[in-house]
Amino acid sequence: MVQSYLRHGPTQAFGLICSSSSNAVYDGKLAYVPALEDVLVWDMKKGQMIAMWHETGHRAEVFAVGYADGSIRLWNAAEGSVIATFNGHKKAVSALAFDEQGARLASGSQDTDLILWDVTAEAGLFRLRGHRDQVTCIRFLRPSEKYPSTSTTSLAGFLVTISKDTFMKVWDLTTQHCIQTVVAHRSDVWAMDVDPAQELLFTGSGEGEVKAWKIDHDTLLEGLKETETGEVSKLITPFSDLPLSSTQRVAQISFHPTESYVAIQSHDRSVEVFRIRTEEEVLKKQARRKKRAKEKKDKAGKEAPVDEEDSEVKLVDLFTPHVVIRANAKIRSFDFAVDSTSAKGGVQILMGLASNALEVYNIPAPSKSKNAQPEASRLFSVDLPGHRTDIRSLSLSSDDQLLASASNGSVKIWNMKTTSCIRTMECGHAICSTFLPGDRHVAVGTKSGEILIYDVAASALIETISAHSGAVWSLHVRADGQALVSGSADKDVKFWEFGQKAPTESSTQSGQTLTLTHIRTLKMTDDVLAVRYSPNGKLLAVSLLDSTVKVFYQDSLKFFLSLYGHKLPVLSMDISHDSKLIVTCSADKNVKIWGLDFGDCHKSIFAHDESVMQVAFEHQSHYFWTVGKDSMLKYWDGDKFENIQKLEGHHREVWALALSHHGNFVVTGSHDKSIRVWEKLEEPLFLEEERERELEQLYEHDIADTLNRQNDGEGSADQAETTAVSKQTAETLMDGERIMEALTLADDERRIFAEYEESMARSAPDDAMRLQPPPRNPVLAAYDLEPEAYVLRVVEKVHSTSLHDALLVLPFGKVVSLMNYLNIWAQKEWNILLVSRILFFLLRTHHHQIVANRIMRTALIPLRKHLRAALRRQKDLIAYNMAALQHMRRQNDDERNVRFFEEEDMDEERIRARISEGKKRKRVALQA
């Protein structure tokens, strides 16, 4: 009988407000922030999480989110669902930008490529190559309004990109080529933004230097031409430098979309906000400067020469330092609120902090008094639902209702049902923690050697016990709930009993409070890293820095066993419910299972790729869990020494592990500041099937990597500047295989029925030997579809973003077969848009084979005829609809004019003015 286990799966991830992996976006009310693999939506005023965009599958309708695996997902903000997934980059996506209409998306990556995506068609348009290092920022430049309105090109416009290779490049999207390369700075270029009028462009470098560049719109319109001196005209020309108060890396530059502010972050904890002066203010400043210069010259008794440069506007005159916003921690990113002003009459700015917190500041409007210096005030902050530092310890209450998490600076109590933070208490540098019997108190061991006791209900520290002179590495409550043991770096193991004491004058508690009474000390030869009572209460295991585990009788403290075998110190251990097994995990990446009767090592397992941080037995079984610095959680069978399941989810080292007292779930805490819950599911798990699944995933991943390397032609020096967008993934390979299977099935079915009809045609109508029709394929019979309809059904199910990559998987024989089906679909006018898209892609990809193959001519000629007829009908239909819509618009305009005339006291001039106002275009700001 093959043994089965129950599978565990991720259910909750909480404790994370924002991660420092990406930038945050703010619309004045809601903040959209990264949270490792998810996107969280916070209501900043209420401090509540509105939504979590997690794929297990407002005004800003569509959000583009770039991921570390090179994929981009478009999310619908209202529904929190994925609209489309784009796969094209080989490494993490580092820059994203929508154009003004939100119809195109440009993405840059660590693989140095730039890809332009069509959001409407959900397809990659082209890939641009030219940068030598990670692309750090992308901006679209609007084509000038001087373009004729009859311009039919959908790709009109320009892109400006910067990279860590010190270059700034300008790309013409019509010709799909780089038309200007500028050495922007001496070091990496990290930040860039274009002002709303698209006249100035700012870049910031790794050396804290900010440069301004002028954008020449006339040159953009006319194209590259030689000047009188023989040089090619420049699209972007250097203008000036902007002095900053810091020389650290310029991480972000951002212009406010409507107000006259620009914010620059060049320091870890502060953002400088500059105000853009109006033309009137600039002229006043120039006049004052001329006046002062004249007074100085008059004093010196010389004639003041006229300075021609003063007539030009300098950058320092245009941008004046307004306010410096200082945050409480390192700033990862910031974003201006999209809607204009806050209630206080200023502009709101959101700060995403590296310490897992969000803050919103109000930038005050400029004051007219010279003495009063404007100061930014903090409006909202979200910091309670998460730790500022990594989580070092977790412990569950006996009924699994509450979870205590401890970090450097705070202890938090979480409700496990709602995953909400219900208590936050300050503490020192916490290392270990445990709920005390009754679940009303939590004991926390700190790095300074103190044991802190907190009352959960009152959310108060009730006692601080100076227990040790070194860090308290481990705390454990005896199974009978009568005593507590602590192990420390001062080489002592101390035993404590629980007692009651009367409240002191300074105490906030009324009535008796819990206290610990020290009763015994066990001196060890080395630092103590972990202590553990056996569930039967007879033994005490102590792990030492010398890589050994000593086992004592807990009542007499007599030495019983020494467990020797680890090469590096044992960081954690646990004893099974029947007190027969002890499992130890070490910094040497191994887990050892020992018998507690003779101290013999049953098995040594290489468990993790990094140090194994914690180990714990599951409730009433010999199965156990381990977590390590390799960010993995693993499930093991302690009797068969088999790895049951590997669970990935955390993004950094996993420090803490807590198991449900009823065996229902596992909780882990990590350096990435998240707490994750893994629940036991009803789904059975078989070890052989699990190993096969892992091998299949590895195999599919390797195939996709091999195909991508072949497509890219790695190693070739003369790579084209513009290429098609393609990337094979496991999904596209599966889609390609499904299309091949459908084509094979349909071809066989059509061949069988063709043979049957041929034989029927040869036999006489009244022949007694006439054959019965052959049975239909079970799949086609189940769907009740003809072969050509079944193939179309399969092709339609392939997501439009991965259709081209799936078609690349088809061998040429299957391409010929697909061409025949395209002809049938065009003849029957089934999904003409899809037919056209597939046909043009196949012709472009397999052009040489199709030209060299005579058989293809017979398939292509009828296809051209049928497709042309179908497209002409589609064109007529669209033209008819367009004419009808224009007629309706004219009707609407006429009705408005009639309504104006019918109003009382309206003369002709006023009516004409009203009509012209209505015809004026309203400027609508689109935010992507």
Side-chain angles (χ1 to χ4, degrees):
M1 185 73 184
V2 179
Q3 185 173 356
S4 68
Y5 304 88
L6 284 177
R7 189 182 294 279
H8 286 71
T11 53
Q12 299 277 0
F14 57 95
L16 204 61
I17 297 166
C18 71
S19 62
S20 56
S21 54
S22 173
N23 61 305
V25 178
Y26 186 47
D27 67 3
K29 183 189 177 190
L30 301 178
Y32 303 85
V33 298
L36 302 177
E37 74 273 22
D38 302 328
V39 177
L40 302 183
V41 184
W42 291 93
D43 185 320
M44 290 305 298
K45 196 169 185 180
K46 296 177 182 175
Q48 290 178 356
M49 188 170 81
I50 305 296
M52 174 191 280
W53 298 352
H54 178 84
E55 199 197 7
T56 35
H58 327 282
R59 282 170 300 281
E61 267 300 309
V62 177
F63 273 81
V65 184
Y67 291 82
D69 63 355
S71 65
I72 300 163
R73 287 177 178 80
L74 297 182
W75 289 85
N76 184 322
E79 297 173 10
S81 59
V82 175
I83 301 167
T85 303
F86 297 141
N87 281 301
H89 291 292
K90 295 190 288 295
K91 292 185 180 175
V93 178
S94 55
L96 289 167
F98 276 108
D99 68 354
E100 274 200 320
Q101 287 74 34
R104 292 176 295 173
L105 172 72
S107 64
S109 165
Q110 289 179 4
D111 62 10
T112 74
D113 288 354
L114 188 72
I115 298 179
L116 194 71
W117 306 90
D118 186 332
V119 176
T120 315
E122 296 183 1
L125 296 172
F126 47 84
R127 183 193 304 267
L128 297 169
R129 291 192 172 116
H131 282 294
R132 305 281 178 84
D133 208 334
Q134 172 185 332
V135 179
T136 50
C137 193
I138 303 170
R139 288 291 179 269
F140 276 89
L141 289 183
R142 278 196 305 270
S144 174
E145 290 176 2
K146 297 173 190 172
Y147 273 135
S149 58
T150 54
S151 175
T152 55
T153 173
S154 62
L155 294 175
F158 300 89
L159 272 183
V160 183
T161 61
I162 56 168
S163 165
K164 284 169 70 177
D165 60 8
T166 74
F167 294 140
M168 173 167 59
K169 286 179 177 281
V170 185
W171 308 83
D172 187 337
L173 298 180
T174 313
T175 60
Q176 301 174 17
H177 282 287
C178 175
I179 51 176
Q180 187 180 355
T181 301
V182 184
V183 181
H185 294 269
R186 290 191 299 275
S187 62
D188 304 353
V189 192
W190 282 98
M192 173 180 69
D193 203 11
V194 182
D195 73 333
Q198 297 221 335
E199 291 172 355
L200 280 178
L201 183 144
F202 277 24
T203 57
S205 76
E207 294 177 347
E209 184 182 30
V210 172
K211 284 186 180 177
W213 309 79
K214 271 196 171 175
I215 300 168
D216 190 342
H217 280 279
D218 292 333
T219 310
L220 286 178
L221 176 63
E222 293 167 7
L224 297 177
K225 290 184 178 178
E226 284 192 7
T227 57
E228 294 171 0
T229 56
E231 292 181 357
V232 178
S233 55
K234 297 280 193 295
L235 306 166
I236 290 179
T237 51
F239 180 39
S240 179
D241 288 2
L242 188 67
L244 298 177
S245 60
S246 167
T247 55
Q248 294 184 17
R249 174 168 79 92
V250 178
Q252 192 179 344
I253 299 173
S254 183
F255 281 90
H256 193 286
T258 53
E259 301 292 319
S260 55
Y261 293 109
V262 59
I264 300 172
Q265 183 199 342
S266 66
H267 188 271
D268 279 348
R269 289 170 176 260
S270 63
V271 169
E272 291 180 63
V273 180
F274 292 83
R275 187 170 62 83
I276 307 169
R277 287 194 174 110
T278 60
E279 195 176 346
E280 191 182 332
E281 289 175 316
V282 172
L283 292 172
K284 278 183 184 177
K285 188 167 176 70
Q286 284 182 343
R288 281 201 302 272
R289 190 188 294 125
K290 283 179 183 175
K291 190 178 177 184
R292 283 199 299 272
K294 190 178 179 185
E295 286 172 0
K296 280 182 184 176
K297 298 288 183 184
D298 288 347
K299 282 183 183 177
K302 296 177 184 176
E303 286 187 13
V306 178
D307 193 353
E308 293 179 2
E309 288 183 5
D310 274 4
S311 58
E312 291 183 9
V313 176
K314 291 184 179 178
L315 196 70
V316 182
D317 295 341
L318 198 58
F319 294 87
T320 175
H322 180 54
V323 71
V324 176
I325 305 168
R326 290 182 175 82
N328 294 330
K330 281 186 181 179
I331 299 166
R332 171 56 184 86
S333 71
F334 64 86
D335 191 36
F336 283 111
V338 178
D339 53 357
S340 53
T341 54
S342 66
K344 294 189 177 182
V347 169
Q348 288 186 24
I349 186 170
L350 170 82
M351 303 283 184
L353 306 183
S355 66
N356 193 26
L358 294 170
E359 293 180 342
V360 174
Y361 287 85
N362 183 59
I363 301 169
S367 60
K368 293 185 178 178
S369 63
K370 294 181 180 179
N371 301 328
Q373 282 289 329
E375 278 194 12
S377 57
R378 191 168 71 178
L379 291 178
F380 318 116
S381 69
V382 179
D383 55 3
L384 285 179
H387 285 278
R388 301 286 75 72
T389 53
D390 48 343
I391 296 152
R392 295 308 297 255
S393 174
L394 293 171
S395 63
L396 279 162
S397 61
S398 58
D399 58 0
D400 293 339
Q401 296 292 311
L402 299 178
L403 173 76
S405 61
S407 70
N408 181 6
S410 65
V411 176
K412 290 182 182 286
I413 310 293
W414 306 83
N415 182 332
M416 284 304 293
K417 275 189 179 175
T418 61
T419 65
S420 57
C421 179
I422 54 175
R423 296 282 186 274
T424 299
M425 299 164 282
E426 289 184 7
C427 73
H429 194 313
I431 294 173
C432 55
S433 64
T434 180
F435 270 94
L436 298 180
D439 296 334
R440 296 173 63 87
H441 301 86
V442 174
V444 176
T446 66
K447 204 168 186 178
S448 58
E450 295 171 333
I451 296 177
L452 310 175
I453 299 176
Y454 293 91
D455 186 315
V456 174
S459 185
L461 174 67
I462 55 174
E463 191 166 11
T464 302
I465 301 160
S466 299
H468 295 271
S469 57
V472 181
W473 286 112
S474 182
L475 291 172
H476 193 228
V477 178
R478 203 164 65 196
D480 59 6
Q482 299 298 311
L484 176 82
V485 64
S486 62
S488 165
D490 63 2
K491 304 180 184 178
D492 285 354
V493 177
K494 292 192 177 181
F495 299 84
W496 310 82
E497 277 189 350
F498 303 115
Q500 301 284 337
K501 70 167 187 176
T504 58
E505 290 179 6
S506 59
S507 173
T508 56
Q509 300 279 311
S510 59
Q512 297 281 316
T513 57
L514 184 81
T515 184
L516 294 180
T517 309
H518 177 222
I519 50 171
R520 282 192 297 183
T521 302
L522 176 64
K523 296 276 185 185
M524 304 304 293
T525 55
D526 219 326
D527 293 15
V528 179
L529 296 179
V531 288
R532 206 85 191 163
Y533 279 115
S534 63
N536 62 11
K538 290 182 180 177
L539 301 174
L540 173 75
V542 181
S543 158
L544 301 178
L545 195 63
D546 63 5
S547 309
T548 63
V549 175
K550 302 281 193 285
V551 184
F552 298 89
Y553 291 102
Q554 75 90 17
D555 49 1
S556 62
L557 297 187
K558 270 189 180 178
F559 175 75
F560 173 47
L561 292 171
S562 178
L563 310 179
Y564 176 83
H566 282 290
K567 296 181 181 68
L568 288 170
V570 172
L571 302 175
S572 175
M573 57 190 173
D574 198 16
I575 299 171
S576 63
H577 69 284
D578 54 9
S579 303
K580 288 182 179 175
L581 294 181
I582 180 169
V583 61
T584 57
C585 66
S586 164
D588 63 10
K589 308 175 190 176
N590 287 309
V591 167
K592 290 183 188 286
I593 303 159
W594 316 75
L596 262 183
D597 41 7
F598 303 110
D600 55 322
C601 180
H602 290 184
K603 187 72 173 176
S604 180
I605 304 168
F606 180 76
H608 288 261
D609 294 333
E610 296 289 336
S611 300
V612 189
M613 299 310 298
Q614 276 210 307
V615 63
F617 272 107
E618 200 171 72
H619 173 69
Q620 296 292 317
S621 75
H622 283 181
Y623 304 155
F624 63 91
W625 293 85
T626 58
V627 293
K629 280 189 175 180
D630 59 357
S631 73
M632 296 284 283
L633 167 69
K634 295 191 179 183
Y635 190 27
W636 305 86
D637 185 334
D639 292 326
K640 293 192 172 182
F641 320 124
E642 292 271 10
N643 178 212
I644 301 169
Q645 204 178 351
K646 296 176 187 173
L647 292 163
E648 294 181 62
H650 283 291
H651 292 244
R652 298 292 295 275
E653 304 96 315
V654 186
W655 297 118
L657 171 71
L659 264 64
S660 157
H661 292 90
H662 303 99
N664 299 329
F665 59 86
V666 183
V667 189
T668 52
S670 166
H671 184 71
D672 61 20
K673 303 182 185 70
S674 72
I675 300 170
R676 290 173 189 263
V677 183
W678 316 80
E679 276 192 6
K680 186 177 281 186
L681 310 172
E682 294 301 317
E683 183 186 345
L685 179 150
F686 299 96
L687 293 181
E688 284 187 11
E689 288 180 6
E690 194 70 8
R691 296 296 93 81
E692 281 176 16
R693 195 173 59 81
E694 287 172 12
L695 285 171
E696 275 177 18
Q697 285 177 348
L698 193 67
Y699 175 65
E700 286 171 2
H701 187 262
D702 286 349
I703 285 181
D705 281 354
T706 308
L707 285 169
N708 288 329
R709 277 199 295 273
Q710 287 171 357
N711 292 343
D712 291 343
E714 284 183 3
S716 59
D718 53 341
Q719 285 190 336
E721 189 176 52
T722 308
T723 57
V725 181
S726 70
K727 183 189 176 185
Q728 293 294 352
T729 62
E731 288 77 24
T732 57
L733 292 174
M734 292 291 288
D735 289 336
E737 284 176 9
R738 285 192 200 101
I739 295 172
M740 277 194 275
E741 285 171 8
L743 288 168
T744 307
L745 187 149
D747 286 346
D748 291 346
E749 185 80 352
R750 291 183 70 203
R751 181 177 49 77
I752 291 166
F753 273 87
E755 288 172 0
Y756 166 71
E757 285 166 9
E758 191 181 330
S759 65
M760 292 299 288
R762 283 201 301 268
S763 61
D766 54 350
D767 191 349
M769 298 298 289
R770 283 178 72 90
L771 297 170
Q772 288 291 322
R776 291 181 70 189
N777 186 290
V779 177
L780 297 176
Y783 286 116
D784 193 22
L785 291 173
E786 292 299 312
E788 55 271 20
Y790 175 70
V791 176
L792 179 63
R793 177 194 172 98
V794 171
V795 174
E796 281 178 335
K797 280 188 176 179
V798 178
H799 206 281
S800 62
T801 51
S802 56
L803 178 62
H804 287 178
D805 291 325
L807 292 172
L808 284 173
V809 178
L810 302 182
F812 187 66
K814 295 295 177 192
V815 171
V816 175
S817 175
L818 184 58
M819 288 280 196
N820 293 325
Y821 289 105
L822 290 174
N823 182 28
I824 296 167
W825 299 341
Q827 194 173 355
K828 295 185 177 182
E829 292 194 30
W830 290 350
N831 204 336
I832 294 299
L833 185 68
L834 183 67
V835 171
S836 307
R837 190 179 165 197
I838 294 172
L839 177 63
F840 300 146
F841 178 75
L842 292 177
L843 289 174
R844 212 168 41 239
T845 309
H846 302 282
H847 178 257
H848 295 301
Q849 293 100 314
I850 290 169
V851 170
N853 194 336
R854 284 187 175 182
I855 304 166
M856 291 301 297
R857 183 177 173 82
T858 54
L860 285 172
I861 290 171
L863 176 57
R864 181 182 67 175
K865 177 187 166 189
H866 295 139
L867 188 62
R868 188 171 284 176
L871 287 171
R872 190 176 288 116
R873 278 191 288 274
Q874 294 260 339
K875 185 182 172 186
D876 293 344
L877 184 68
I878 291 167
Y880 181 84
N881 288 342
M882 287 290 290
L885 287 169
Q886 285 169 357
H887 172 69
M888 287 167 71
R889 189 178 69 180
R890 283 195 297 271
Q891 259 189 335
N892 187 35
D893 288 348
D894 292 344
E895 281 176 17
R896 279 169 60 202
N897 294 351
V898 168
R899 195 164 63 249
F900 288 147
F901 276 113
E902 285 175 352
E903 286 180 16
E904 292 181 9
D905 301 329
M906 290 283 281
D907 58 6
E908 191 177 342
E909 285 181 11
R910 287 172 68 185
I911 288 167
R912 288 189 186 284
R914 256 316 220 341
I915 292 169
S916 64
E917 272 179 29
K919 284 183 179 176
K920 276 184 186 175
R921 282 186 181 178
K922 290 183 181 177
R923 189 174 176 130
V924 179
L926 291 173
Q927 176 65 24

